[in-house]
Amino acid sequence: MADAPNPFQLPNITKFKIALCQLSITSDKNQNLDRASRSIRLSVEQGAKLLVLPEMWNCPYSSDYFAKYAEDFDNRDASPTLSMLSEAACCHGITIIGGSLPEWDHGRLYNTCCIFGPDGRLKAKHRKIHLFDIDIPGEISFKESDTFTAGDQPTIVDTEVGRIGIGICHDIRFPELAALYRKRGVDIICYPGAFNVSTGELLWELVQRARAVDNQLFVATCSPSRNSTGSYTTWGHSTLVGPSGEIIVTSGHEETTVIAQIDYSNIQLQRKSLPLDDQKREDIYKFIDAHELNP
């Protein structure tokens, strides 16, 4: 992970279009790849320079499919999904946040996001740090940790469209990760995600806006559509949030691609208008952390 100065610095490209491809996922892997490839092409035709795919888009979001559809990223001949993303990024000259895929590595399964540059090279990969375990009686029971191994590194990647922090779905629930990205000079955090209907209705928009407004940066999320195959029902609603917490664009729950313009000068404007970094009281936070508070 690259270090960055604390003060915000505008990247070379300050205005560009982002595409959030909310795909409908089937149990046919080749069909999923074709659908993603078509969405990428159509997004480029509309001027997108940064493209985000959903969490687990090459297979249904189900523990019955993860191992079966997983790929060894070190063996490109056995990794058709990575090959397609690399070719698409290079062919169209764009940066792709490749959603997430089940990755096999030394006998372990990871929920992994791959980032490709306009030259088609793999710039970075992020393994989901916070695994999603939930048990709401009568609604949903799901334990991601039964299948996946957790990642142990945050991911920041410098691209032609700015410095990007990566999280996957449940990673968004943890403000510490987003705050770390802010300190390292990130312009936008991209979270491929697949919130379910129960948590999605309650929390999806709330946590996106919280991560954006607390850190005064852009947050982009991309979900599978709700009509995707599998027993896990996703919320959808792929969204771009601006640095003041405003919703710039959002989708419904159906398969679609939403395009929006990002203007990084809004980060500078927001931080100048409301200089949160200057107003922080690290002296108090550190004292409280080191001492028990009196009742």
Side-chain angles (χ1 to χ4, degrees):
M1 185 175 67
D3 289 328
N6 286 336
F8 174 72
Q9 294 181 345
L10 285 172
N12 292 331
I13 297 177
T14 59
K15 291 184 181 180
F16 61 92
K17 288 184 179 180
I18 185 173
L20 310 175
C21 299
Q22 185 166 287
L23 303 174
S24 177
I25 314 303
T26 75
S27 57
D28 185 328
K29 188 175 188 178
N30 290 330
Q31 185 175 343
N32 295 333
L33 296 185
D34 289 343
R35 182 169 278 147
S37 180
R38 183 169 60 251
S39 294
I40 293 170
R41 176 176 53 82
L42 293 174
S43 298
V44 171
E45 289 176 358
Q46 296 180 68
K49 294 296 183 183
L50 174 64
L51 183 139
V52 188
L53 293 173
E55 182 181 21
M56 288 296 158
W57 61 269
N58 78 341
C59 70
Y61 195 93
S62 168
S63 55
D64 295 333
Y65 291 92
F66 295 147
K68 179 182 177 182
Y69 284 66
E71 299 179 6
D72 179 355
F73 294 173
D74 291 330
N75 183 1
R76 286 297 179 90
D77 292 337
S79 185
T81 308
L82 248 66
S83 295
M84 186 280 286
L85 291 175
S86 174
E87 292 171 8
C90 182
C91 175
H92 299 298
I94 60 169
T95 298
I96 295 179
I97 311 299
S100 82
L101 313 166
E103 175 200 9
W104 276 120
D105 185 30
H106 294 90
R108 293 185 176 184
L109 198 60
Y110 296 92
N111 185 341
T112 303
C113 175
C114 295
I115 301 92
F116 291 90
D119 58 0
R121 293 184 180 181
L122 179 65
K123 295 182 71 69
K125 67 179 182 180
H126 176 83
R127 289 171 170 169
K128 189 173 185 178
I129 297 171
H130 306 93
L131 299 181
F132 181 62
D133 292 352
I134 187 172
D135 186 11
I136 302 177
E139 291 191 40
I140 182 173
S141 181
F142 187 83
K143 198 169 183 182
E144 200 173 28
S145 62
D146 283 344
T147 304
F148 290 107
T149 298
D152 58 7
Q153 293 289 331
T155 305
I156 294 175
V157 56
D158 288 314
T159 75
E160 289 73 9
V161 288
R163 176 164 286 191
I164 301 175
I166 304 294
I168 298 174
C169 200
H170 199 45
D171 286 340
I172 199 174
R173 292 294 306 273
F174 298 87
E176 297 86 353
L177 181 62
L180 171 64
Y181 287 159
R182 159 71 191 266
K183 289 179 181 178
R184 296 295 182 95
V186 157
D187 307 304
I188 179 172
I189 308 175
C190 294
Y191 294 99
F195 268 49
N196 62 75
V197 172
S198 298
T199 58
E201 186 173 11
L202 287 171
L203 300 171
W204 183 237
E205 180 181 314
L206 174 66
V207 291
Q208 292 178 68
R209 298 183 71 182
R211 298 297 85 81
V213 74
D214 282 352
N215 297 288
Q216 298 176 307
L217 43 66
F218 287 89
V219 166
T221 62
C222 189
S223 168
S225 70
R226 193 177 303 175
N227 61 340
S228 298
T229 302
S231 58
Y232 184 97
T233 305
T234 52
W235 177 240
H237 298 275
S238 302
T239 304
L240 176 67
V241 183
S244 61
E246 76 279 17
I247 300 291
I248 296 174
V249 69
T250 190
S251 70
H253 61 76
E254 71 286 346
E255 181 176 38
T256 187
T257 295
V258 292
I259 309 283
Q261 179 161 288
I262 286 176
D263 184 349
Y264 284 148
S265 67
N266 289 334
I267 298 176
Q268 195 174 36
L269 177 64
Q270 182 67 14
R271 293 180 184 178
K272 183 177 180 180
S273 301
L274 187 59
L276 296 182
D277 274 354
D278 295 339
Q279 297 168 0
K280 286 181 179 178
R281 293 297 305 275
E282 296 290 352
D283 56 326
I284 294 177
Y285 311 149
K286 290 176 182 178
F287 178 84
I288 293 174
D289 191 46
H291 300 81
E292 274 192 34
L293 289 175
N294 291 325

